[in-house]
Amino acid sequence: MGMYLNSDISKIDGVMLSPLKVIKVSGGDVFRAIKNDDSGYCGFGEAYFSTVHSGAVKAWKRHRKMSLNLVVPSGRIRFVVYDDRQNSGSYGGFGEIILSIDNYYRLTLPPMLWVGFQGVSDHTSMLLNIANIQHRESEAERKELNEINYDWEFVR
């Protein structure tokens, strides 16, 4: 499948993309996600999985305090990040990447970035978020899909 590093996701200030190790084991492989001495690790609050159906878009959300560490252990997910932090060097910029087992990276997002994602495999995809704090709706903000101007059309 190759590398899906499109739209320079790492050019958004504070975003990190870390290659992850796959350990080949007889009977089934082990897919690393994060260790407490990895760059991007900033504490543990909770870990959760989220699914996204093929073609579905879940957008837009940002956290005021939570840092995200996103890994895709199943399927393919297109992540889009929008930076509207006025004092940021990437203010007004978008970054995009598709993560999957074939493009196995951890995407680390600091607080205050808008993120959305889309399932781009033929079946339901799953992501793992390893967050530095527990999820609280009060520290998250949401926007409707059309409130941030981005073309979510995806050509396979």
Side-chain angles (χ1 to χ4, degrees), residues 4 6 55 76 78 96 98 118-122 151-156:
Y4 301 98
N6 33 14
R76 291 175 61 218
R78 173 188 185 195
E96 176 183 327
I98 295 174
Q118 178 182 33
V120 293
S121 68
D122 293 333
D151 181 4
W152 282 96
E153 183 177 345
F154 184 76
V155 179
R156 291 177 206 247

Side-chain angles (χ1 to χ4, degrees), residues 1 4 51-56 72-78 98-102 117-127 154-156:
M1 294 242 174
Y4 301 98
T51 59
V52 58
H53 300 299
S54 180
V72 177
S74 177
R76 291 175 61 218
I77 299 178
R78 173 188 185 195
I98 295 174
L99 297 182
S100 67
I101 295 299
D102 295 325
F117 54 94
Q118 178 182 33
V120 293
S121 68
D122 293 333
H123 54 85
T124 298
S125 298
M126 182 181 298
L127 70 82
F154 184 76
V155 179
R156 291 177 206 247

Side-chain angles (χ1 to χ4, degrees), residues 14-135:
V15 170
M16 290 177 36
L17 194 60
S18 305
L20 295 175
K21 187 172 184 177
V22 177
I23 303 165
K24 300 290 184 185
V25 178
S26 176
D29 297 336
V30 174
F31 295 85
R32 284 259 168 87
I34 196 168
K35 298 181 305 223
N36 66 359
D37 61 349
D38 285 345
S39 58
Y41 179 81
C42 53
F44 177 78
E46 75 171 303
Y48 63 84
F49 293 94
S50 181
T51 59
V52 58
H53 300 299
S54 180
V57 175
K58 291 183 170 183
W60 294 99
K61 186 173 185 178
R62 79 170 165 192
H63 292 274
R64 292 184 194 99
K65 297 178 182 175
M66 181 187 286
S67 294
L68 312 177
N69 282 287
L70 303 167
V71 177
V72 177
S74 177
R76 291 175 61 218
I77 299 178
R78 173 188 185 195
F79 292 92
V80 177
V81 177
Y82 173 63
D83 186 357
D84 72 348
R85 302 169 297 173
Q86 292 197 1
N87 294 327
S88 169
S90 54
Y91 174 74
F94 286 92
E96 176 183 327
I97 190 167
I98 295 174
L99 297 182
S100 67
I101 295 299
D102 295 325
N103 196 41
Y104 197 57
Y105 285 78
R106 181 181 59 253
L107 177 62
T108 303
L109 303 177
M112 298 306 292
L113 289 172
W114 291 100
V115 64
F117 54 94
Q118 178 182 33
V120 293
S121 68
D122 293 333
H123 54 85
T124 298
S125 298
M126 182 181 298
L127 70 82
L128 166 63
N129 179 25
I130 302 156
N132 66 324
I133 62 173
Q134 291 183 25
H135 187 272

